[in-house]
Amino acid sequence: TQHARGAVRLSIDVWEKAAKTPEGALSQTTFWAEAIGRLGIDGDTQVVVYDDGRMTEAARAWFILQHFGVPAAVVNGGWPALLAVLKEAGATEQGVPQSPHKAVFTPRPSSGVVALVERSSLRDALARGTGPQVFDARTAAEYRGEDLRANRRGGHLPGARHLAHSALLGPDGRLRAPEDLRGLIDQAGLNSGERIVTHCDGGGRAALAALAAAQAGYSDVGTYYLSFADWAADEACSVERVLR
């Protein structure tokens, strides 16, 4: 397999599954100190993340890393965009990526540019009518409640605004320019002067939406990482459906 020279491979599906367990919840700093340190990340050196071009998996890794205080960035367009640059520089390698030397990593939770939002605090704020603005990055069918995925209930969070994550990407698979992102987010009814909380069904699309909002210049952005799957499983959390 071809990869960037010196790259370390992250099995993002392992992180995705872990974050949904009590032991690996994003509040468990001991677990994540080990998981992140195992990649050779010490928290002081810039980390650049890329995926196969979908952008959602790189965004997922970025969100978790930045949540724990790692200075992290995402390659716009992923591996397809990076490959041409690396080939020209002679900076690609074949085979299995190297095994990193384990680093000592000290997490600094909630020190990133995008905050982690939990279900209870979001539910209470929406019930009180005190916000925040909810940015639903799922498909239109999921938002309307027609596509339940693996959930027992379908629909959307009360008052949520919809903007599918796919609209944030251009034809070349890259995140659109900041001014274009701002226009799309504004058109969806999300005001720049108020807090925005992104969600999807399981975290990846929500992370990409948060990255897009941050790139567009929105300064108060949070992500409900466990997203609609977590919300729908709690009967105390109300959902709305679009009637047609």
Side-chain angles (χ1 to χ4, degrees):
T1 304
Q2 197 172 35
H3 56 271
R5 181 183 298 155
V8 173
R9 185 177 186 276
L10 165 62
S11 297
I12 192 62
D13 56 327
V14 174
W15 278 20
E16 180 182 359
K17 291 175 184 175
K20 297 175 182 177
T21 67
E23 300 79 16
L26 295 183
S27 59
Q28 300 298 321
T29 55
T30 301
F31 175 91
W32 289 100
E34 171 69 20
I36 295 172
R38 199 181 303 131
L39 295 173
I41 296 171
D42 59 12
D44 296 323
T45 305
Q46 176 77 41
V47 174
V48 177
V49 187
Y50 67 86
D51 61 14
D52 60 3
R54 285 176 291 177
M55 294 290 288
T56 51
E57 299 311 285
R60 185 192 301 278
W62 165 82
F63 173 73
I64 294 173
L65 289 169
Q66 65 90 45
H67 168 66
F68 288 109
V70 176
V74 173
V75 175
N76 198 5
W79 179 244
L82 187 60
L83 179 57
V85 176
L86 293 180
K87 272 189 172 179
E88 186 175 340
T92 61
E93 293 178 331
Q94 295 284 348
V96 179
Q98 65 180 355
S99 297
H101 294 292
K102 185 177 177 181
V104 176
F105 173 66
T106 302
R108 300 187 297 277
S110 302
S111 59
V113 296
V114 175
L116 172 69
V117 176
E118 302 286 0
R119 180 200 335 134
S120 58
S121 62
L122 181 57
R123 181 189 63 217
D124 292 348
L126 292 178
R128 291 193 304 267
T130 57
Q133 302 175 102
V134 178
F135 178 167
D136 187 329
R138 299 176 300 159
T139 65
E142 289 174 272
Y143 178 81
R144 290 193 297 265
E146 297 166 359
D147 180 1
L148 273 63
R149 305 274 292 224
N151 303 312
R152 288 182 288 124
R153 299 188 293 161
H156 55 269
L157 276 62
R161 301 288 185 164
H162 176 254
L163 177 59
H165 88 284
S166 57
L168 305 171
L169 303 174
D172 58 358
R174 301 186 190 211
L175 204 61
R176 295 183 185 275
E179 59 273 19
D180 295 333
L181 293 171
R182 177 175 283 278
L184 288 168
I185 296 170
D186 284 348
Q187 287 170 24
L190 296 158
N191 301 316
S192 59
E194 302 173 37
R195 191 176 200 211
I196 293 175
V197 171
T198 68
H199 83 85
C200 58
D201 191 67
R205 292 175 289 175
L208 181 61
L211 178 62
Q215 287 292 303
Y218 293 79
S219 59
D220 192 357
V221 182
T223 292
Y224 174 26
Y225 179 76
L226 293 181
S227 287
F228 191 78
D230 177 67
W231 185 271
D234 185 348
E235 294 292 340
C237 296
S238 62
V239 298
E240 297 177 348
R241 295 174 65 93
V242 176
L243 301 178
R244 307 220 291 174

